[in-house]
Every structure is written in structure tokens, then in C-alpha cells.
Amino acid sequence: MIELTKESFQSEVLDCTDKAVFVDFWSDGCEVCVELMPDVHKLEAKFSDKIKFASLNIKGARRLAISQKVMGLPAMIIYSKGEILGRISPDEIDENIDNVESFIESIYKNL
Amino acid sequence: MEKIYDTIIIGGGPGGLSAAIYAARSKMKTLVIEQKRKTGGQAATTFEMENYPGFPSASGPEIMGKFREHCDKFGVEFTRGKVEKIEEAGDGFLKKVITKDAEYTTKTVIVGTGAEPRVLGIRGENTFRGRGVSYCATCDADFYEGLDIVVVGNGNTAVEESMYLSKFVNKITMIVIHDEGTMDADKAAQEQAMQNPKIEYIWNSTVTEIGGDEMVDHVMIKNIKTNEVTKFACDGVFMFVGTVPRTSFLEGYVDLNPQKYIKVNERMETNVPGIFACGDVTDKMLRQVVTAASDGSIAAVVAEKYIEEEENWNKNVRSSDKPVLVAFWSPINADSLNTITQLEKLHATNSTTKLVKIDAYKNHRIASRYGVSDIPTILKIENDKVINVVTNANMNDLNKII
């Protein structure tokens, strides 16, 4: 899992062409994000042939997150060639890793 | 052999952890099933906590960390899972607690699943979730640095979370449904909020709609006195309009009130023998860490007594091969002491029955199950059925029942 910064977001995510990119937006203050993180890491192994996994701590990258229409955590977005393929919001995640997995699955199967 | 717990506590918030501390300390085999990786419940994500006695300046996560440490000290077992169902194991005593991946057997269950923030259901609330609508200040405060937000609600949570948010945002406008100066939060919290220069108020009003393009940029505010609706610009909306209990897995099994909170008595007993509840999930007046902790301790102590009573009853009465005379007495009732003494003497000369003495004061549940209200009362029980009842017995009656 790549830890993104506001500097690397463009090259690692938006300009990435070989794979789709999953971005987990999080922060230290978001208990649910911290809670889900280890399980998100586990999902990487399952989907890594077609999806690159990355996370962005919004602390210090708040404007970048807002530019991606993220204003509440946890939030996760899958990009492909600079376009957003799908996103999952806090209520859809509902503190449950299974919801994250089915979100990724739904996009993965069409890649 | 299958592992049987004395108590399984569902939910690792302050109520459940307090129950666990009391249970494990009195040597009950105790398991806490928590859905999340981190225990502590809602309190673990509430930064501002000024009213837990003895901790004037600790945060919610710190205090909940101490609760957990205390559990670990007494050897409480923890596991992660979401309970889907509780059912009777079939022997009239044991219960099964079922999660997605496991099934546990236990003598008692203490439900402390708590409550979660209520969704108001207004237009735009769902659409903009995560894009300007939030239910968690500690989660999302960072996004709103220097921005203007609206807070919906006026209870303790709304006020405490606004105080926390005021460290980040430019301005907070609290939308309060009551008349000017009236809030549901306690006086101390209100005063702090009133003195906070970043917090402003709109009284007699509700939010009827949350709107924006891709992100929230306004709310519609309705004055409930004049019915006038105005558009109010903001960058985000925090909703603190009460909570709903997590009880869907209990519906149809345990009695709930119309708002779906669990009905309990002052002993934290539900209508189902052996199932107790504590904390925010119960039908109660004050939902605080300190009251949840209190509930938890009561639930654990009553659960322990329940096990003792039931096991004693099963061993001495239900599985007896002879008819049983059950004498309900009380150490503070002189008549009952007399009756017991006489009964013991008579019984010594006749052994076709078994004599079991029950302290009705300590074994309140069994007494009330058999409708025993007068002391002394003697029941004759054969094959688990009452075949004779004698109340306030004289010598004649005693002779007869023996």
C-alpha cells in the first residue's frame, strides 16, 4: 500500500495508466479509518493484480481531498486513468470492511 | 467439552466494560464481543469529556483506555464480531450467542450494544454524506478548518461536539428548535457554548433541506413559529439529533419500548430470564458514561445471583427424584424462622420428601416466579410442578404437607 502525499497524488494516482488506483482517505482522528486500515491492507493481496492500493492522510492534504469531493471520513475512491470509477461514502462503508470489499469487487470485475 | 461462559457481554462500551470488570473480578468466566477493533464505544470517539467523576481533564479515548486496562487486569476475554442472534440452547437455562462466524454458549447475556447517531431523514442528508454532512466531529473536523458550519441539535452531544469543532472552524451556527435561550444540554455545557465567540444561534428553527452542487453549500432553515424558510450559506452540516439503539437483533425476543430501546427494571433485567442490558441501549433517562458504568455493574452482580439461584434450583429441586418441600423464609421475618425450625424437626422424622430452604429476600426472582409474596410460604414440588402451597402455616398444616 502506497502512502500518498499531496505532491505524489498526481503522478501516483491521476497519471497512473497501468492499473486502476484505490485510494483510502484517512486521518489519525478518524477512529473508523484507523480501525479499518489493517483489513484494507489485507484486501490489497486479493485485488492487486488489477488495482494499485494507496492511502492519503488528509492531514496536510485537506485541499486535495476536498478537490476530490471528499469532506467526510472514511472515504474511498477508485480511479482509472485520472477518472473516478467509483466512490464509497461513510454511510455506505458503515464501519464494515465487508462493504468495502464488495465495493472494490464491483469495480474489479469490470476491469 | 464445549466451553460455557458465565456471561457474554455484547458491546465493549463503558456499560459492557464495567459489567466485564465486575463479572471477571467475581470469577465469572466472561467474554466481551465487540464489533470494532477498538473497545470504548461512542465514548472512545468523543474527545470532550468533562463529567466523568475523578477525571477532570482526561479525554474520552483516554478514559476508555483505562476501562480496557481494568478489564485486562481481571482476565476478561475479548473477541471481535457482530452478534446476529441470541437463542435458547433448549435446556431452559443456557443460551447461544450467534455471530457471523461463531457460536458461543453462555449462562447469561448482558447487552450493551449502545446507540448510534440518528439520521434525521431530511432532503440532501443522505446525498451529501461525506461531502459536507457529518455525524462525527473527531472524524471530520480537519476538513472544516477555517470554514463555516451548521450544527443541527441542541443536546449535550451537540454542544460538546460544537465546542470541539470551534477549535477548527471559522464559525458555527447552531440551529435550535426551542425558544431563545432554551437548549436540551445541561446548564454547564450551555454556558460554555454561550461564551464561545465562534458559536452563534438560530432559535425556533429546524433544517429542512441540505443543498449544494457537488458539495454542501447551503441549508434551508425553517422558523417553526413563522413558517418562514430561508437559505443559509455554509460549507458543512454536523448532525447531532439524538441516537437510535442497536437492538434489531433482539426484536421479537426481548421487550423493547416504542423507540426500540431495551426495557429493563432497576436490576437491569429484561423480560427474558438470563438476559440483562446496560448503558445507552436501555430505556433510561440519562445516557452518560457514568450511568452506563453503573448499569453495567448492576447487570453483572444480578447476573451472578441469577446463575447461583438457577443452578441451585436445578440441582436441588428440578432434578430431585423425591418430591421437594421448598420453604421460602427470610432472616428478618421472625415467623418464618419459627416455621422453618418446626418444619426441619418434622422433616427429620419423615424422609419421603426433600427439604430445600430458599431465602426469599436474596432469591427474589425465584420467589416471584412462583408468586410467593407472603413469608413464610412452603411449596411442595414434584416433577417440576407445584402440587401444594401452604402460607403462614401452623403445625397442622406442616404435618399435612409433609
Side-chain angles (χ1 to χ4, degrees):
Chain A
M1 196 131 162
I2 306 163
E3 185 58 48
L4 301 166
T5 63
K6 60 177 182 243
E7 289 77 23
S8 67
F9 191 82
Q10 181 73 33
S11 62
E12 292 282 4
V13 180
L14 301 178
D15 297 344
C16 177
T17 49
D18 56 331
K19 277 181 186 180
V21 188
F22 166 89
V23 182
D24 179 2
F25 293 82
W26 70 287
S27 82
D28 301 303
C30 170
E31 295 285 349
V32 180
C33 305
V34 176
E35 160 90 22
L36 289 172
M37 191 70 78
D39 292 328
V40 173
H41 278 259
K42 284 184 203 152
L43 291 178
E44 182 172 12
K46 187 171 171 191
F47 300 108
S48 64
D49 59 324
K50 290 183 189 168
I51 302 176
K52 176 163 97 179
F53 273 61
S55 61
L56 177 71
N57 187 338
I58 65 119
K59 193 90 187 168
R62 190 173 64 95
R63 276 172 199 289
L64 170 60
I66 294 172
S67 76
Q68 300 305 305
K69 312 283 184 284
V70 169
M71 242 189 153
L73 297 179
M76 297 162 190
I77 300 181
I78 297 177
Y79 298 84
S80 175
K81 303 186 177 71
E83 302 269 306
I84 291 176
L85 292 184
R87 58 164 71 229
I88 184 167
S89 61
D91 58 318
E92 290 161 339
I93 294 171
D94 195 23
E95 307 184 12
N96 186 344
I97 192 69
D98 296 343
N99 297 329
V100 176
E101 184 169 357
S102 34
F103 159 69
I104 301 175
E105 187 98 55
S106 71
I107 289 180
Y108 176 86
K109 64 174 193 239
N110 295 319
L111 288 173
Chain B
M1 204 188 115
E2 190 189 20
K3 198 166 176 179
I4 296 174
Y5 288 95
D6 289 315
T7 192
I8 288 184
I9 298 163
I10 309 174
L17 295 184
S18 299
I21 292 165
Y22 271 74
R25 186 165 176 269
S26 55
K27 308 285 179 216
M28 291 166 77
K29 193 161 180 46
T30 306
L31 174 71
V32 175
I33 304 179
E34 166 59 48
Q35 204 178 331
K36 297 184 187 170
R37 177 169 281 105
K38 194 173 162 189
T39 50
Q42 288 183 92
T45 56
T46 308
F47 203 78
E48 302 279 321
M49 202 198 287
E50 280 193 338
N51 52 9
Y52 191 73
F55 293 83
S57 55
S59 69
E62 278 174 74
I63 295 172
M64 286 304 104
K66 291 275 177 203
F67 272 53
R68 177 59 190 263
E69 210 181 300
H70 206 158
C71 286
D72 293 338
K73 180 183 164 187
F74 291 122
V76 175
E77 272 182 60
F78 284 88
T79 188
R80 270 186 85 187
K82 183 176 183 180
V83 172
E84 293 177 338
K85 208 173 166 191
I86 306 173
E87 58 186 36
E88 307 288 333
D91 67 344
F93 180 50
L94 294 177
K95 299 194 161 50
K96 293 213 174 290
V97 175
I98 299 159
T99 68
K100 200 178 107 191
D101 322 293
E103 193 176 298
Y104 305 90
T105 306
T106 183
K107 296 172 186 173
T108 61
V109 178
I110 299 175
V111 180
T113 44
E116 56 199 2
R118 189 158 106 211
V119 172
L120 206 51
I122 55 178
R123 243 179 108 182
E125 187 178 5
N126 210 17
T127 321
F128 290 106
R129 182 122 190 222
R131 288 184 292 139
V133 175
S134 177
Y135 301 82
C136 176
T138 49
C139 305
D140 299 336
D142 282 336
F143 287 112
Y144 296 92
E145 218 175 299
L147 301 180
D148 295 340
I149 61 163
V150 158
V151 165
V152 185
N154 65 94
N156 273 327
T157 306
V159 170
E160 281 160 12
E161 300 293 349
S162 295
M163 295 296 293
Y164 175 77
L165 286 164
S166 72
K167 294 173 192 164
F168 299 82
V169 303
N170 175 57
K171 192 184 85 176
I172 296 173
T173 306
M174 289 188 79
I175 313 298
V176 184
I177 197 165
H178 306 301
D179 285 337
E180 179 158 0
T182 309
M183 287 200 258
D184 294 332
D186 62 60
K187 282 277 174 290
Q190 283 188 42
E191 268 168 34
Q192 285 187 358
M194 292 288 185
Q195 282 162 13
N196 190 315
K198 284 189 178 175
I199 306 180
E200 293 174 8
Y201 304 87
I202 297 181
W203 305 99
N204 292 314
S205 298
T206 57
V207 171
T208 54
E209 187 181 334
I210 299 166
D213 186 6
E214 283 186 302
M215 314 279 271
V216 169
D217 62 24
H218 72 273
V219 291
M220 301 304 287
I221 296 172
K222 180 180 172 183
N223 183 306
I224 57 165
K225 290 263 160 89
T226 63
N227 281 330
E228 192 188 344
V229 179
T230 40
K231 190 171 174 177
F232 186 88
C234 63
D235 303 300
V237 187
F238 281 78
M239 311 287 291
F240 302 113
V241 287
T243 53
V244 285
R246 293 191 188 92
T247 50
S248 52
F249 70 108
L250 298 172
E251 275 187 60
Y253 180 43
V254 173
D255 274 356
L256 308 176
N257 79 358
Q259 289 75 41
K260 309 287 183 199
Y261 288 94
I262 301 173
K263 288 197 209 169
V264 286
N265 60 18
E266 75 285 356
R267 299 159 62 91
M268 299 299 133
E269 293 164 319
T270 68
N271 65 310
V272 181
I275 299 190
F276 306 83
C278 63
D280 282 10
V281 77
T282 64
D283 181 11
K284 66 195 295 197
M285 182 258 165
L286 183 65
R287 293 194 172 82
Q288 291 281 298
V289 172
V290 66
T291 60
S294 160
D295 292 352
S297 65
I298 296 169
V301 171
V302 178
E304 189 193 5
K305 286 193 185 305
Y306 165 85
I307 295 173
E308 206 181 285
E309 274 179 55
E310 288 298 318
E311 289 187 337
N312 178 44
W313 187 262
N314 279 344
K315 186 169 142 238
N316 290 312
V317 182
R318 284 178 76 188
S319 30
S320 168
D321 45 5
K322 285 195 273 192
V324 186
L325 290 179
V326 184
F328 290 91
W329 68 291
S330 159
I332 52 169
N333 181 314
D335 284 350
S336 75
L337 291 174
N338 265 331
T339 308
I340 291 286
T341 316
Q342 287 172 19
L343 188 63
E344 276 178 328
K345 274 187 200 149
L346 284 171
H347 186 258
T349 60
N350 180 335
S351 59
T352 58
T353 56
K354 178 175 173 184
L355 179 61
V356 174
K357 295 182 289 177
I358 301 265
D359 180 338
Y361 182 72
K362 281 190 187 161
N363 295 270
H364 148 97
R365 248 177 30 79
I366 289 199
S368 63
R369 189 197 295 167
Y370 287 91
V372 173
S373 50
D374 290 328
I375 305 295
T377 290
I378 300 155
L379 304 180
K380 191 170 189 178
I381 294 180
E382 195 170 357
N383 297 327
D384 214 13
K385 283 194 185 69
V386 179
I387 52 171
N388 202 349
V389 182
V390 175
T391 307
N392 292 317
N394 58 34
M395 282 306 282
N396 255 343
D397 296 334
L398 290 180
N399 263 321
K400 249 187 234 162
I401 198 166
I402 280 191

